[in-house]
Amino acid sequence: MARVHNYFVYILECAEKSYYVGVTNDLEARLSQHNDGENVFAYTFARRPLLLRYYQRFDQIEDAIDFEKQVKGWSRKKKEALFEEDWSEIVRLSNYKNK
């Protein structure tokens, strides 16, 4: 029997309105780590409080990592279209050089 795995790509909105994109196999624990400030060197440490704006579950870690890398390269507008699951806007924004 194949084992089901859970991997998550998530986007946090930081207190100063920047976005942080990450990947984890335990979304709840990872959000606690970010919000508790467990790593003083983390991007999110000085940008708390944090708000979970989006997450997507994957069965395969490779798929999650590929999607994380893709989204990290997206503009703010594309990420915000993702929050709304506005796929036509994501496609439209993908057709511009200055995404």
Side-chain angles (χ1 to χ4, degrees), residues 11-20 43 47 50 76:
I11 303 176
L12 302 176
E13 182 177 331
C14 300
E16 60 10 309
K17 302 300 181 195
S18 68
Y19 294 129
Y20 175 84
Y43 175 84
R47 293 170 170 87
L50 307 163
R76 180 177 189 84

Side-chain angles (χ1 to χ4, degrees), residues 40-93:
V40 297
F41 301 108
Y43 175 84
T44 57
F45 182 82
R47 293 170 170 87
R48 295 173 292 157
L50 307 163
L51 174 66
L52 178 64
R53 291 294 307 268
Y54 179 84
Y55 70 91
Q56 184 171 335
R57 192 191 73 76
F58 294 84
D59 293 325
Q60 302 297 320
I61 187 62
E62 297 84 3
D63 296 334
I65 291 170
D66 288 345
F67 187 64
E68 177 199 26
K69 288 178 182 178
Q70 180 182 21
V71 172
K72 280 185 175 184
W74 285 5
S75 68
R76 180 177 189 84
K77 287 183 180 184
K78 276 179 81 171
K79 289 173 186 164
E80 290 171 351
L82 182 63
F83 302 159
E84 302 299 321
E85 296 184 349
D86 186 345
W87 303 110
S88 61
E89 181 67 359
I90 292 169
V91 170
R92 188 187 74 76
L93 291 167

